[in-house]
Amino acid sequence: MHAYPRWKIWLILAVLVVSAMGSLPNIANPPSWWPSGLSKPLNLGLDLKGGIHLVLDVDVDKAVERTVEEDVDSARQALRGERIRYRKLDAHGLNLTIVLKKPEQSVAASKILTDTLPGYTLLDQGEGHLLLTIKEKNAKEVKKFAIDQAIEVIRMRIDALGTTEPVIVKQGNTRILVQIPGYEDSARAKSLIGRTAQLEFKLVDEKGDLDKALQGAITPGDIIMYGKPEMRNGKSFRQPYLLKKRTELSGSEVSDARVSIDSRYNEYAVTLKFNSKGARKFDRLTTAHVGERFAIILEGIVQSAPVIRERIGGGSAQITGSFSPAEAHDLAIILRAGALPAPVKVVEERSIGPSLGKDSVEQGFNSIIIGGILVLLFMAVYYRAFGMVANVALLFNMLLIVAAMSIIGSTLTLPGMAGIVLTIGMAVDANVLIFERIREELHLGKTPLAAIDGGYDKAFSTIVDANITTLIAAIVLFQFGSGPVKGFAVTLSVGILASMFTAITVTRAMISLSLEKRGRVERLSI
């Protein structure tokens, strides 16, 4: 047996120091000079820390309908560009209906619309009536994108709450699982997550007759919308508005939203900042419609309809509406994160209290401690001095797992604790293979040093093969699993890598150093 390489000893010492530093934040607050990358404690999952569990159902059909509505403007501009006039241009469900003023222009209009909207099938129904229906393939893409976009919007809203490691994953074709560890205000969470936050700016039809419109005689191109409920003469009342159907600006063009104080009424408001495209559109809008009113609509409710006194440059606007500080703050969060592409509905809700989480933590740690103690006792009794070496390596292994998961910001869950227990068994199993190979070499009559070399060399390939196959399974679980399954996969993967390092490298270094000090070795305590 040759002298153990010194660089490996220094590597083990460096890993030990980093592991100790990375694990310290889980026990006590590190000093101010502590490296920031090693200052994060291990995050606890929903089942350990308590929190909120929600399952949301996304109305993806609404997302398709909104896409069709947005394409109305594209069809309008394409027809106007070729000076093709129409009597009607409306969206209904998955269809766009167009009625031309001159039926003889049907062929030209069909070609233009087919080129402009390739995602639709066109049917000429005769007499200038054209029907465009969104293709099934495009509808599926819209639905898939709606789920992906909803996940990102929800993630941004939850991150603004200041929580750590929320779980937001897709379930099935239309559902999203949301878990927020350590957060207990389920009502606020549902309000923040579930609000569509569809923001629109529409012009008020100053020339239209609101009274006639309320009786059913709505001018083509107009729409009636209502303000927030308010009390008048002891009765609930909602102010009606006759608005232009066309949306001049939308929430997609908002780049920032902040809580502010309205100087006129000294109440909380939300100040919006548009992106460059939105700022240009808002500039043109306020320049062309001085003296007219424009309505600010949030989730189908008119928040306010101020008069445009003058051109408004700079790309900013303000939403007022007698907000409380919390309402204004949440609205700003929602608008910054963006609107959901489709309405969502909470179909499952569970709140896990911190007391249950505390019990789970205690039971989980007890299982790890009891299982670890039994393993340590078995190794010490059955393999004697070599068993004690394996026990030291096992403690090193546990330290390394905690440090690694803290550094990478992983979340520990109950299944994750099961992964740690499994890792303990796998780490010991590697040492058992090595020690049994050493015993076999001794039985063959080899010297103690040769037996150690032979035992490690022969067990190495078996240990690597077994751990690599398990690591592949863990990676597959992480890739295709969700929530608790991913927690199990993470701890299992980290544990496998740590156990291979400690079982092969650390134990051999300890044995080599101890034998170097003894000089000539006649027998092994194994």
Side-chain angles (χ1 to χ4, degrees):
M1 182 174 181
H2 305 289
Y4 199 72
R6 296 301 170 190
W7 70 268
K8 288 188 178 182
I9 296 174
W10 286 111
L11 173 63
I12 293 169
L13 291 175
V15 173
L16 177 60
V17 171
V18 173
S19 299
M21 294 177 69
S23 300
L24 180 64
N26 296 285
I27 303 172
N29 292 325
S32 57
W33 53 266
W34 210 256
S36 59
L38 304 175
S39 300
K40 296 183 294 184
L42 190 61
N43 296 314
L44 298 181
L46 187 72
D47 47 3
L48 301 180
K49 196 175 182 179
I52 298 170
H53 169 103
L54 301 172
V55 177
L56 309 174
D57 187 75
V58 183
D59 190 349
V60 291
D61 292 330
K62 285 289 184 183
V64 179
E65 291 177 11
R66 283 181 181 170
T67 299
V68 175
E69 291 173 2
E70 291 170 359
D71 287 335
V72 168
D73 197 46
S74 299
R76 180 186 294 114
Q77 292 180 11
L79 293 174
R80 287 180 177 177
E82 297 297 326
R83 297 184 179 180
I84 297 177
R85 304 179 68 184
Y86 51 85
R87 300 179 186 276
K88 180 182 180 183
L89 177 52
D90 278 329
H92 297 285
L94 306 181
N95 304 316
L96 281 174
T97 303
I98 302 169
V99 180
L100 303 176
K101 284 190 174 182
K102 297 180 179 180
E104 60 270 20
Q105 292 183 314
S106 293
V107 175
S110 298
K111 184 179 184 307
I112 293 165
L113 292 170
T114 301
D115 293 339
T116 305
L117 302 172
Y120 289 76
T121 55
L122 187 145
L123 176 64
D124 188 342
Q125 299 177 310
E127 298 183 359
H129 289 252
L130 303 176
L131 180 68
L132 286 91
T133 304
I134 190 169
K135 296 178 180 177
E136 184 178 351
K137 176 184 175 182
N138 292 76
K140 287 182 178 179
E141 290 179 358
V142 170
K143 291 177 181 179
K144 181 179 182 301
F145 179 76
I147 294 291
D148 295 339
Q149 186 181 354
I151 289 174
E152 290 306 312
V153 170
I154 291 171
R155 188 182 306 280
M156 292 176 66
R157 292 181 183 182
I158 292 175
D159 287 345
L161 292 173
T163 60
T164 58
E165 289 297 314
V167 176
I168 307 168
V169 293
K170 181 179 177 181
Q171 277 195 341
N173 294 324
T174 64
R175 293 190 173 184
I176 300 173
L177 169 68
V178 178
Q179 293 182 338
I180 315 177
Y183 195 77
E184 300 178 40
D185 192 348
S186 60
R188 187 187 179 201
K190 286 193 296 182
S191 173
L192 202 63
I193 293 170
R195 291 182 65 178
T196 308
Q198 195 72 28
L199 179 67
E200 300 173 297
F201 293 79
K202 296 178 184 286
L203 287 169
V204 176
D205 186 356
E206 304 286 1
K207 298 179 180 178
D209 191 324
L210 178 60
D211 292 332
K212 288 185 178 179
L214 289 172
Q215 294 172 5
I218 302 177
T219 306
D222 284 358
I223 188 174
I224 294 177
M225 302 192 80
Y226 293 85
K228 295 192 296 185
E230 54 183 294
M231 296 302 295
R232 288 191 182 180
N233 300 323
K235 295 182 179 179
S236 178
F237 174 79
R238 295 181 67 188
Q239 176 67 44
Y241 296 88
L242 184 62
L243 309 177
K244 295 287 187 180
K245 186 179 291 185
R246 180 179 178 182
T247 299
E248 303 291 341
L249 275 165
S250 69
S252 62
E253 289 150 329
V254 173
S255 63
D256 195 14
R258 302 286 173 182
V259 178
S260 59
I261 301 293
D262 182 13
S263 57
R264 292 172 300 172
Y265 303 106
N266 195 32
E267 61 182 19
Y268 284 92
V270 177
T271 298
L272 308 176
K273 189 76 175 177
F274 297 108
N275 58 26
S276 57
K277 178 184 175 183
R280 288 194 297 270
K281 292 173 70 173
F282 193 62
D283 191 350
R284 290 197 297 266
L285 172 68
T286 55
T287 300
H289 298 280
V290 173
E292 300 179 24
R293 290 185 298 163
F294 75 102
I296 302 174
I297 304 147
L298 180 65
E299 296 178 329
I301 298 174
V302 179
Q303 299 292 320
S304 59
V307 176
I308 302 173
R309 301 294 182 187
E310 58 185 4
R311 172 194 169 194
I312 303 175
S316 62
Q318 191 178 71
I319 301 178
T320 58
S322 301
F323 299 121
S324 68
E327 289 173 338
H329 180 260
D330 286 353
L331 179 57
I333 289 174
I334 290 170
L335 294 178
R336 275 202 304 274
L340 287 170
V344 299
K345 180 175 66 175
V346 178
V347 294
E348 182 183 338
E349 175 187 358
R350 293 203 306 268
S351 292
I352 301 174
S355 59
L356 177 60
K358 184 179 179 182
D359 293 340
S360 299
V361 172
E362 291 177 353
Q363 292 173 5
F365 277 119
N366 287 340
S367 66
I368 292 175
I369 292 170
I370 294 171
I373 290 174
L374 292 175
V375 169
L376 293 175
L377 288 174
F378 171 80
M379 294 298 291
V381 172
Y382 195 73
Y383 291 106
R384 292 173 286 186
F386 275 65
M388 295 304 296
V389 170
N391 289 343
V392 172
L394 183 60
L395 296 175
F396 189 173
N397 180 45
M398 298 298 298
L399 185 70
L400 184 53
I401 292 173
V402 173
M405 293 186 64
S406 299
I407 292 170
I408 66 177
S410 181
T411 300
L412 180 64
T413 61
L414 274 178
M417 285 188 168
I420 293 175
V421 174
L422 178 59
T423 299
I424 293 174
M426 293 182 65
V428 171
D429 183 57
N431 286 127
V432 168
L433 283 173
I434 294 170
F435 297 161
E436 289 300 324
R437 290 290 183 272
I438 293 174
R439 283 180 170 179
E440 289 176 3
E441 296 295 301
L442 291 173
H443 290 156
L444 292 174
K446 290 188 178 181
T447 63
L449 298 184
I452 292 172
D453 283 337
Y456 272 96
D457 292 342
K458 291 182 178 179
F460 179 79
S461 59
T462 305
I463 294 170
V464 171
D465 289 346
N467 282 278
I468 290 298
T469 53
T470 308
L471 184 60
I472 292 172
I475 293 172
V476 171
L477 285 175
F478 181 83
Q479 182 65 32
F480 298 103
S482 62
V485 176
K486 281 193 173 185
F488 175 79
V490 169
T491 53
L492 183 59
S493 301
V494 173
I496 288 170
L497 297 175
S499 65
M500 289 180 66
F501 176 75
T502 56
I504 297 173
T505 306
V506 175
T507 57
R508 190 162 191 178
M510 293 174 64
I511 293 171
S512 298
L513 291 175
S514 65
L515 294 181
E516 283 179 17
K517 293 180 180 180
R518 290 174 56 185
R520 183 177 178 82
V521 180
E522 298 294 340
R523 59 188 301 274
L524 298 177
S525 177
I526 185 171

